[in-house]
Amino acid sequence: MVLKYTEEEAELEDHSPCATLKAELKMCVLETDCCKIEKKTPRECLRSYNVPQDCIALRNAFFECKRSFLDNRQRFRGRKMLF
């Protein structure tokens, strides 16, 4: 996941449906003390719940976005917008 910075705004190279949630989750976890000070990986921080509630909410939203691809009802109704 790479962010491209232009003069006007930052845009993602990845244009998949859940890419924005993934990028927000990544930035949220990387800004925590768990990653910065304790030098743990983002995965370790998320598994130990050593992150703020905002990051946990983003993780749940990302999970629901990915899960919506497997739900056959969502194929007809469209993806649920969580944000």
Side-chain angles (χ1 to χ4, degrees):
M1 179 74 42
V2 178
L3 284 174
K4 254 199 260 183
Y5 290 101
T6 60
E7 293 175 4
E8 298 166 358
E9 61 183 63
E11 70 178 52
L12 292 172
E13 284 183 359
D14 185 11
H15 295 289
S16 63
C18 300
T20 55
L21 284 172
K22 185 178 183 179
E24 288 178 17
L25 175 60
K26 183 186 276 189
M27 295 309 296
C28 182
V29 174
L30 288 174
E31 293 296 319
T32 62
D33 290 341
C34 181
C35 286
K36 284 183 171 179
I37 297 172
E38 297 174 19
K39 303 290 186 195
K40 291 184 180 178
T41 64
R43 182 176 294 193
E44 290 172 344
C45 292
L46 282 171
R47 284 194 178 157
S48 67
Y49 290 98
N50 199 4
V51 293
Q53 285 291 68
D54 295 340
C55 296
I56 294 172
L58 281 170
R59 183 179 75 168
N60 291 339
F62 180 63
F63 171 77
E64 290 295 328
C65 181
K66 290 298 224 178
R67 187 172 76 167
S68 72
F69 292 121
L70 301 175
D71 188 4
N72 286 330
R73 293 176 293 172
Q74 296 296 326
R75 289 175 49 201
F76 298 108
R77 296 181 189 158
R79 251 184 21 260
K80 219 184 334 180
M81 299 306 285
L82 298 173
F83 47 92

